[in-house]
Amino acid sequence: MKAKDILNKVIKKEISVKEVVQRYLSNIQKQNSFYNAFITVFDEDFINKQIERSQKMIQEGNFSPVVGLPVAIKDNINVKGFPTTCASNILKNYISPYNATVVEKLYSAGAIIVGKTNLDEFAMGSSNENSFFGPVKNPLNPKLVPGGSSGGSAVAVASDMVTLSLGSDTGGSIRLPAAFCGIYGIKPTYGVVSRYGLVAFASSLDQIGAFSKYSEDLALIMQVISGYDPYDSTSSKDFIPDFIDESFNIKLSIKDLTNIKIGFPSKIVNDSAVEDIIKNSITELLLLLEKNGSIIKEIDFPYLEYSIPTYYIIATSEASSNLARYDGVRYGLRVEAQDLRTMIKKTRGEGFGLEVKRRILTGTFCLSSGYYDAYYKKALQVRNLIKKDFENIFKEVDFIIIPTSPTLPWKIGEKINDPIKMYLSDIYTVSINLAGLPSINIPYYNDYFPVGIQIISNYFTESDLLSISFLIENLTK
Ligand code: GLN
């Protein structure tokens, strides 16, 4: 069922919040041990308290876009009083001392937060196999990866364990798992959603966003979590979310597809790294859009090929600095030793997994004197060029359509020993974070397997993005 329809029933008191939540909790009970989507499911007492509060809001006519809806939170976002593990051994016993702003907003809006979802350790990965708590399985085919790093949040929604969930996206971690699980996932413009309470991976790229099964449902949760937050100095003061009307219907800033200008870099069709099913699905969708009056324009993306090295230099550099705080003194795990240096070494040695260590080493190298100019500084310059690419493209078109991933999900274990191959699956997502643009994954259903298609729009045009997603959803369903 759509979150939107559940919301309507709950508001009209046709169904109680308790009934809704119980239904979803029983799905968690039945399915979670198999899919491994949740690291923590909250205790009954805590969930019941939320249900009571939410039902009371409804009784008092105090409605919100997410009142009574079961929601899951990626386990790198703080929920006070519960563990925030980041799927890492180093934080496995760490209890959040405060709520992230997005969590505070969901509570105030009467959502029911049921637990924390699995991820790649510290959100580093594309398959959700880098978790201290084990890999997550894809509900479309449990032999396949669900995508990462927000794999647990995607699977929780795709397998009806919650109506909606939050993830974080530094280089594709919402869009890729949404694509692999056949659902919707939005990564907002940098600054639209507060990062306060999100554990930092690469601060200039990280954004919180959401998953859902329907585009309209994304509008509901985005309405609640977006907006200025004085606790996040990079959050935008000017952006005011306006995604839904008083009856909680999506507000369409674009009413139909006629004369909408869509950019597509057609060299993707000749790229041998892109699987045929992905090419065919995109081509089909573009034809359909054209038939409905949209104008498809060829666009050029000269710096796209540099986006992977640029991203992996900037992201690892920032990560090496952000993760310096896990030293056995301030947070989480401490492995005792006879002196301080040995204690720090042992703690980090045992606490971090292989991929996280690889990133810290790469980032430390890129930032070290003698290499800084050649790597980090150069990457920042290329980042600027990538941004300019997008600025030029958006002078000509309203949206860009590209694949979310060059391939369908692969088998669990298939790429785990080949990090470069794994990194290459991010080719179409990372440039959007480098530029700070908003982007959404929409599932395109064919007879074989849903294909994730990415729509990108200009800064702060989330309304347009949600609108076109809704229009395409209606066209293709
Ligand atoms: N797959 C990318 C990485 O491993 C993106 C991760 C993310 O968006 N958190 O860095």
Side-chain angles (χ1 to χ4, degrees):
M1 225 172 155
K2 274 191 186 178
K4 161 96 189 317
D5 296 335
I6 298 174
L7 177 74
N8 278 331
K9 282 188 189 295
V10 167
I11 286 176
K12 288 194 198 127
K13 302 195 190 81
E14 288 168 18
I15 177 166
S16 72
V17 177
K18 196 167 187 92
E19 283 170 287
V20 173
V21 177
Q22 264 164 358
R23 193 110 23 121
Y24 281 88
L25 284 179
S26 88
N27 281 349
I28 294 180
Q29 236 157 33
K30 273 185 237 149
Q31 304 187 82
N32 188 50
S33 58
F34 182 70
Y35 289 116
N36 202 21
F38 283 87
I39 291 175
T40 308
V41 178
F42 294 158
D43 56 90
E44 234 181 88
D45 266 7
F46 181 63
I47 292 178
N48 284 339
K49 266 193 205 120
Q50 294 183 74
I51 295 175
E52 263 169 47
R53 215 177 52 138
S54 173
Q55 194 65 55
K56 191 161 164 252
M57 279 175 69
I58 293 165
Q59 237 59 45
E60 290 165 354
N62 182 5
F63 305 142
S64 96
V66 294
V67 70
L69 298 180
V71 172
I73 310 286
K74 187 177 181 178
D75 204 15
N76 61 349
I77 299 174
N78 281 284
V79 177
K80 189 177 172 176
F82 292 97
T84 295
T85 70
C86 292
S88 182
N89 188 25
I90 213 160
L91 286 180
K92 70 169 187 267
N93 294 320
Y94 174 75
I95 304 291
S96 324
Y98 67 97
N99 281 327
T101 297
V102 286
V103 169
E104 205 58 63
K105 285 185 175 191
L106 286 169
Y107 276 146
S108 312
I112 314 296
I113 301 182
V114 299
K116 308 285 296 288
T117 54
N118 207 341
L119 65 150
D120 283 298
E121 186 177 0
F122 284 101
M124 297 172 186
S126 310
S127 65
N128 215 139
E129 293 167 288
N130 303 332
S131 166
F132 178 71
F133 299 95
V136 178
K137 289 180 189 151
N138 189 324
L140 295 168
N141 174 349
K143 290 202 172 77
L144 304 179
V145 299
S149 64
S150 317
S153 287
V155 172
V157 166
S159 60
D160 292 319
M161 295 197 252
V162 284
T163 52
L164 296 160
S165 64
L166 293 189
S168 66
D169 191 311
T170 304
S173 279
I174 290 175
R175 290 158 287 156
L176 195 71
F180 283 7
C181 295
I183 60 173
Y184 291 82
I186 187 166
K187 175 243 171 256
T189 308
Y190 189 77
V192 158
V193 177
S194 167
R195 290 182 296 114
Y196 181 72
L198 165 69
V199 177
F201 161 11
S203 316
S204 77
L205 303 160
D206 300 339
Q207 256 303 278
I208 292 174
F211 293 93
S212 71
K213 278 193 158 177
Y214 303 91
S215 3
E216 242 185 322
D217 295 349
L218 270 191
L220 295 176
I221 189 156
M222 281 299 292
Q223 182 67 36
V224 173
I225 64 169
S226 311
Y228 175 62
D229 176 17
Y231 289 138
D232 174 2
S233 62
T234 60
S235 102
S236 164
K237 283 206 170 103
D238 303 320
F239 185 80
I240 294 167
D242 187 23
F243 307 136
I244 50 174
D245 65 18
E246 319 74 61
S247 328
F248 305 121
N249 294 313
I250 185 167
K251 249 192 197 174
L252 292 179
S253 56
I254 297 170
K255 304 272 180 290
D256 64 71
L257 294 161
T258 346
N259 291 328
I260 299 293
K261 291 192 227 79
I262 292 166
F264 175 66
S266 65
K267 67 176 175 198
I268 286 177
V269 180
N270 302 319
D271 185 347
S272 59
V274 183
E275 286 176 358
D276 283 343
I277 185 168
I278 313 271
K279 292 176 186 169
N280 296 343
S281 297
I282 287 228
T283 315
E284 256 176 58
L285 176 65
L286 290 172
L287 279 173
L288 191 64
L289 291 172
E290 207 162 30
K291 243 175 53 206
N292 282 271
S294 300
I295 303 156
I296 313 297
K297 287 193 155 193
E298 172 68 29
I299 51 167
D300 192 21
F301 230 135
Y303 291 102
L304 182 69
E305 61 177 301
Y306 301 107
S307 61
I308 292 274
T310 307
Y311 168 82
Y312 275 94
I313 289 170
I314 292 175
T316 55
S317 297
E318 292 188 24
S320 74
S321 159
N322 275 326
L323 271 62
R325 73 191 66 174
Y326 307 106
D327 55 4
V329 177
R330 282 170 282 199
Y331 300 90
L333 181 78
R334 171 186 298 182
V335 181
E336 297 293 354
Q338 65 281 19
D339 62 85
L340 182 67
R341 270 187 91 85
T342 320
M343 185 280 285
I344 293 177
K345 271 192 202 167
K346 285 197 163 164
T347 299
R348 290 169 69 84
E350 284 180 31
F352 290 132
L354 203 61
E355 182 59 27
V356 173
K357 284 179 187 158
R358 186 181 289 128
R359 306 263 178 137
I360 294 173
L361 289 172
T362 312
T364 307
F365 175 81
C366 292
L367 290 179
S368 57
S369 85
Y371 295 106
Y372 180 95
D373 284 346
Y375 292 98
Y376 186 67
K377 195 170 153 210
K378 186 66 111 208
L380 288 185
Q381 287 164 336
V382 180
R383 181 178 191 174
N384 241 340
L385 293 173
I386 291 172
K387 217 167 157 184
K388 289 221 172 84
D389 264 0
F390 279 111
E391 278 165 20
N392 288 332
I393 293 170
F394 281 121
K395 283 181 195 147
E396 310 282 325
V397 302
D398 308 307
F399 299 99
I400 299 170
I401 287 190
I402 50 174
T404 301
S405 160
T407 69
L408 293 182
W410 51 88
K411 287 209 182 76
I412 293 178
E414 195 181 317
K415 295 191 185 176
I416 198 69
N417 295 319
D418 191 343
I420 300 289
K421 221 180 196 170
M422 187 81 85
Y423 297 171
L424 284 174
S425 58
D426 301 336
I427 173 84
Y428 292 121
T429 49
V430 292
S431 61
I432 286 88
N433 301 71
L434 289 168
L437 288 161
S439 170
I440 195 167
N441 176 76
I442 63 167
Y444 186 80
Y445 279 84
N446 53 51
D447 296 333
Y448 177 61
F449 204 93
V451 166
I453 294 180
Q454 196 181 184
I455 311 179
I456 306 148
S457 66
N458 214 337
Y459 297 103
F460 300 108
T461 57
E462 275 73 5
S463 290
D464 296 348
L465 208 52
L466 291 166
S467 299
I468 191 163
S469 170
F470 177 76
L471 293 173
I472 295 179
E473 182 183 335
N474 285 338
L475 199 65
T476 54
K477 82 177 161 200

